[in-house]
Amino acid sequence: LIPWKLQFDYFDEVTGEIGDAVWSCTEEQYWAPNSSYLFYAIADATSVSPAEGMPTTITYNETSTPNGDLIFASVEDATNASATPAKGNPVKFTFTHLLSKAKFTFKKNAYTNNRYTYTVRNIKFTDAYQEGVYTIATSTWGSLDDKGVLSFGNLEGNLTKTNATTGLESAPVRQVVPATYTEDNQLTITFDVVMMLDGVEISSVPNTQKFPAEGEFTFAQNTAYNFAVLLGDNNRITFT
């Protein structure tokens, strides 16, 4: 998000960094009496249309801004009266997250032998939408394209006898282009379950899940999702 970019409706750009008390214009600007202003701010957009003036659409491509957030804010009909220029009131923005966010949490049923530990590696969406166009007026996503891999990395740590039921999370939390997936247009989830004995890897089993199994599921903008996975029990060795 550094630097952020902000534009007035007559194309003057403002820049700043997180934590700056005041951001700066390329040239200092002043309120005009009885005039109205439009301001907007966008972070991590691939492009906006039109390129000048108030945008109507925002294009985002995950491959161009890997795991970047996408936020937008606008202030309409701001006037010198409402800003009380004599007191130096700033133009204030309330930002909206335009993407979805996802993570994984893995748990395992309780077990008794603490020599065994488990972890999960290579957690991925293998065919998630990575590009879309956001229409500001309707707050909707369209023109979904460019399916590809979104990697959630590996599990942070190992599931053990003592923490198996509380769960551990995937390493990164990923930004996801809002979209609807159906049983005819499924999202593929893959990961490898690793079993260790006394810290030595003894098996690694790949898993593939199709989501949703039926019906449809929509990633909504400005919403976070946790994919909770319960790992199955191992078959205990027995003797007769």
Side-chain angles (χ1 to χ4, degrees):
L1 298 181
I2 302 174
W4 284 3
K5 293 185 177 180
L6 160 69
Q7 290 183 318
F8 297 99
D9 62 327
Y10 52 92
F11 319 138
D12 200 359
E13 188 176 275
V14 177
T15 59
E17 295 186 1
I18 295 172
D20 289 350
V22 178
W23 292 354
S24 58
C25 299
T26 52
E27 294 184 81
E28 198 168 48
Q29 303 295 336
Y30 302 91
W31 291 100
N34 303 317
S35 294
S36 293
Y37 295 80
L38 286 173
F39 304 92
Y40 73 88
I42 300 174
D44 280 359
T46 306
S47 64
V48 298
S49 181
E52 295 182 332
M54 193 68 178
T56 57
T57 62
I58 302 170
T59 299
Y60 176 84
N61 188 308
E62 200 278 337
T63 58
S64 300
T65 55
N67 205 27
D69 202 351
L70 180 61
I71 59 176
F72 174 76
S74 63
V75 178
E76 298 186 24
D77 300 323
T79 65
N80 60 327
S82 64
T84 320
K87 296 182 180 179
N89 271 7
V91 178
K92 296 182 179 180
F93 290 89
T94 300
F95 286 92
T96 299
H97 292 270
L98 302 185
L99 299 175
S100 308
K101 189 165 65 173
K103 68 176 182 179
F104 281 82
T105 299
F106 288 84
K107 297 182 179 182
K108 185 168 176 57
N109 288 333
Y111 62 95
T112 59
N113 190 338
N114 58 16
R115 294 176 61 195
Y116 287 92
T117 57
Y118 303 85
T119 194
V120 183
R121 298 175 185 159
N122 304 318
I123 309 163
K124 298 175 182 177
F125 291 159
T126 63
D127 49 7
Y129 286 111
Q130 293 183 295
E131 181 175 286
V133 176
Y134 179 78
T135 301
I136 294 171
T138 58
S139 300
T140 57
W141 282 88
S143 300
L144 300 170
D145 199 5
D146 195 24
K147 279 191 170 185
V149 173
L150 288 181
S151 175
F152 293 81
N154 303 326
L155 202 62
E156 292 190 314
N158 298 330
L159 293 166
T160 67
K161 172 186 171 182
T162 55
N163 70 3
T165 58
T166 58
L168 296 176
E169 294 184 356
S170 55
V173 175
R174 296 303 306 257
Q175 310 296 333
V176 181
V177 175
T180 296
Y181 295 88
T182 68
E183 54 190 300
D184 297 321
N185 177 36
Q186 291 175 307
L187 184 65
T188 304
I189 300 169
T190 65
F191 52 85
D192 300 327
V193 179
V194 179
M195 181 180 183
M196 292 165 282
L197 177 61
D198 294 333
V200 177
E201 182 177 324
I202 58 176
S203 72
S204 178
V205 179
N207 284 262
T208 299
Q209 303 290 329
K210 294 290 188 177
F211 180 82
E214 58 184 11
E216 65 178 37
F217 179 86
T218 299
F219 285 98
Q221 69 184 56
N222 197 31
T223 306
Y225 298 88
N226 181 17
F227 285 78
V229 181
L230 180 63
L231 301 181
D233 288 328
N234 294 100
N235 292 322
R236 188 172 300 174
I237 299 174
T238 59
F239 301 91
T240 60

